[in-house]
Amino acid sequence: MISKPQVLALYRQLLRDTRSLSLSNVVYVRAQLRAEFERSRGVRDPTAQLALFRKGMYLADTRLGGLI
């Protein structure tokens, strides 16, 4: 099971990664990140949580999927 501190650390890392985007993209990407995390907030299934966490880790590892 993924802990809340792990999810928050991932969220903060993804937000930090947006700093190197152009200003117009920063606003959009941050809004999309927040919306995705908010949509996923109620997920209780450990398998689904792990899949979402892996998706977020992929974005962090690939610098937002190659945007940066």
Side-chain angles (χ1 to χ4, degrees):
M1 183 170 197
I2 306 302
S3 69
K4 186 173 182 176
Q6 287 175 302
V7 172
L8 291 174
L10 175 61
Y11 181 67
R12 286 191 300 268
Q13 177 61 46
L14 290 170
L15 288 178
R16 277 192 299 273
D17 287 348
T18 64
R19 290 181 188 160
S20 61
L21 295 172
S22 66
L23 184 58
S24 61
N25 290 335
V26 170
V27 174
Y28 174 77
V29 172
R30 284 185 177 191
Q32 292 302 309
L33 284 172
R34 181 178 177 96
E36 183 67 27
F37 273 81
E38 288 293 330
R39 274 193 299 274
S40 302
R41 177 178 262 181
V43 175
R44 299 287 177 241
D45 177 34
T47 305
Q49 286 178 343
L50 183 59
L52 289 167
F53 189 76
R54 285 183 176 160
K55 179 181 175 183
M57 289 299 298
Y58 170 79
L59 288 174
D61 291 342
T62 61
R63 307 283 291 165
L64 298 175
L67 288 175
I68 300 174

